[in-house]
Amino acid sequence: MKVNGKHYRSLWWNSEKNVLEIIDQRWLPHDFRTQTVGTMEEFADAIVEMRVRGAPLIGATAAYAMALAMKIDPSNAYLEKAWKYFNETRPTAVNLRWALNRCKDALLPLPEDQRADAALKLAHEIADEDVEINAQIGRHGLAIIQGIAINKKPGETINILTHCNAGWLATVDWGTATSPMYHAHNAGIPIHVWVDETRPRNQGALTSWELGSHGVPHTYIVDNAGGHLMQHGKVDLVIVGTDRTTRRGDVCNKIGTYLKALAAHANNVPFYVALPSPTIDWTIANGVADIPIEERSAQETTHVQGIMPDGSIGMVQVTPEGTPGGNPAFDVTPNHLVTGLITERGVTPATAEGLQAMFPEFANVKPAAKNKKTGS
Ligand SMILES: CSC[C@H]1O[C@H](OP(=O)(O)O)[C@H](O)[C@@H]1O
């Protein structure tokens, strides 16, 4: 998407330096900083520290990480070592494991001297596929918004609530939850977006930065305001992203999503999830029982980042000294609270039958023994 009129993806390959370039999202929305990622440690750090974040973007980053690994040492042993090293960076977004497995499956059959080039080519393909998948999600989500517009007075604004950042910053481009919003805005449909702040990392500020850059009307709200707005008829539709959706349609997403789904269900507000197929974990059904929930640092809850009086970006402590912080980074919305899943192939019910009908090639994937701690 555009940043000050210039098109950017969230990551891109610098073919002159032969390194990956990323937007370092830790400094947004106050400072737009890019950086190169050229070592195994820099790749792992970029994922762990959320310089790159969002399930699809984590997956694309992991693919480029495997390309670097094959350039360093194309042996089977190093391939396995790299797979394990990167799989341990963050446990919840299944796109990480999906990308690592896709790379391993493609590379193992190849002679070692072909692996580095093949791995980089595959990383480019995964990045480009993500852009197209998200554009398709946008087109299918646009139809939902158009369906709501028909029942509104001509020119009446459609109010959409979203949680966290499932925007182009969380993917290579377009975003997932935001793609239908951008498509609707570009089609001239009057939308307004309620943007949940999404403590503790305040990814709502990223969504606000994105939507503002594209001229989409929006309002930044505290996480706990969504239910009130729904009770008062101020939300026509909720669209969120996902980090892992199970084969029966249970949706794992940023902490707080479940509460939005409960409020939407209680107020008969349609609750849709934008779901790229690499985010489906076909090996599990019960999301609450089987999806590993990342526990991040307490400091993310006891402190908040922002612009300091001198204009620098800093952290301030919001809690008393010594107060412990708890920080589960995700929660799981059971499928019965989900109105529909917006995939790149179309909109489907959040059920095992719905997902199998949309993706029949995965219908026979066998449940795997899960180690909930690592998610694989
Ligand atoms: C399009 S996936 C976006 C998804 O990822 C975010 O998690 P994080 O910022 O911790 O990587 C959040 O759950 C978003 O909905």
Side-chain angles (χ1 to χ4, degrees):
M1 300 303 275
K2 292 208 184 311
V3 179
N4 299 324
K6 180 182 177 188
H7 178 263
Y8 278 91
R9 286 183 169 187
S10 301
L11 55 70
W12 59 95
W13 185 252
N14 182 325
S15 51
E16 286 166 22
K17 297 179 184 172
N18 255 337
V19 288
L20 187 71
E21 304 266 10
I22 64 169
I23 297 171
D24 184 345
Q25 301 187 27
R26 296 177 310 156
W27 307 105
L28 288 173
H30 306 300
D31 195 6
F32 180 80
R33 296 185 192 176
T34 64
Q35 74 159 76
T36 61
V37 185
T39 69
M40 298 286 276
E41 294 72 22
E42 286 173 352
F43 268 102
D45 177 78
I47 296 171
V48 169
E49 296 304 325
M50 296 172 65
R51 298 169 190 267
V52 292
R53 40 148 300 279
L57 189 61
I58 290 170
T61 303
Y64 282 104
M66 293 299 271
L68 173 66
M70 291 299 94
K71 192 177 165 190
I72 293 170
D73 175 350
S75 67
N76 286 2
Y78 199 73
L79 176 54
E80 291 294 344
K81 184 179 176 185
W83 188 100
K84 188 173 181 306
Y85 179 60
F86 293 119
N87 190 55
E88 289 173 354
T89 51
R90 292 187 74 188
T92 303
V94 73
N95 306 62
L96 174 60
R97 192 182 69 208
W98 168 84
L100 293 172
N101 284 344
R102 182 167 168 188
C103 292
K104 188 163 83 171
D105 294 347
L107 296 170
L108 275 177
L110 297 179
E112 290 187 10
D113 62 359
Q114 296 177 17
R115 289 179 176 178
D117 289 346
L120 184 57
K121 181 170 178 290
L122 179 55
H124 294 331
E125 287 170 8
I126 287 172
D128 291 342
E129 284 171 13
D130 181 61
V131 177
E132 182 50 30
I133 284 171
N134 300 331
Q136 290 288 16
I137 287 173
R139 297 179 191 111
H140 295 305
L142 171 59
I144 294 169
I145 296 170
Q146 288 169 325
I148 292 172
I150 288 169
N151 298 318
K152 288 259 186 184
K153 299 186 189 81
E156 189 179 0
T157 295
I158 294 164
N159 289 296
I160 302 169
L161 184 142
T162 195
H163 187 70
C164 196
N165 174 255
W168 70 267
L169 288 169
T171 67
V172 178
D173 208 340
W174 280 114
T176 58
T178 58
S179 190
M181 301 173 201
Y182 290 129
H183 279 77
H185 178 77
N186 294 346
I189 297 174
I191 65 169
H192 164 265
V193 184
W194 297 111
V195 178
D196 271 359
E197 66 173 330
T198 315
R199 283 282 286 139
R201 290 285 296 237
N202 289 31
Q203 288 99 325
L206 301 182
T207 301
S208 298
W209 180 81
E210 278 194 30
L211 295 175
S213 301
H214 199 72
V216 179
H218 61 283
T219 305
Y220 184 74
I221 56 174
V222 296
D223 290 330
N224 298 319
H228 164 74
L229 294 170
M230 293 182 210
Q231 276 179 329
H232 289 268
K234 295 184 176 179
V235 179
D236 298 301
L237 170 68
V238 178
I239 308 180
V240 299
T242 176
D243 295 84
R244 188 184 305 214
T245 292
T246 72
R247 63 184 298 129
R248 76 179 183 194
D250 288 355
V251 171
C252 181
N253 195 49
K254 184 53 55 193
I255 192 78
T257 304
Y258 173 44
L259 293 177
K260 294 297 160 329
L262 287 171
H265 193 260
N267 292 280
N268 299 312
V269 174
F271 182 92
Y272 281 90
V273 177
L275 171 63
S277 59
T279 311
I280 302 170
D281 184 345
W282 295 99
T283 68
I284 57 173
N286 184 335
V288 173
D290 292 331
I291 295 177
I293 301 298
E294 181 182 23
E295 182 75 28
R296 292 186 64 87
S297 74
Q299 192 191 38
E300 291 184 351
T301 60
T302 58
H303 291 65
V304 68
Q305 178 175 292
I307 288 281
M308 307 308 281
D310 65 2
S312 65
I313 296 172
M315 301 287 283
V316 293
Q317 182 169 324
V318 292
T319 49
E321 199 55 48
T323 293
N327 188 8
F330 300 96
D331 60 26
V332 176
T333 298
N335 64 352
H336 68 84
L337 296 175
V338 178
T339 306
L341 301 169
I342 310 171
T343 77
E344 65 270 27
R345 293 183 185 176
V347 183
T348 183
T351 62
E353 297 75 18
L355 282 169
Q356 285 180 23
M358 194 63 81
F359 300 97
E361 66 268 39
F362 295 101
N364 298 322
V365 171
K366 293 285 176 286
K370 306 304 295 174
N371 169 347
K372 197 166 178 180
K373 182 176 175 303
T374 63
S376 58

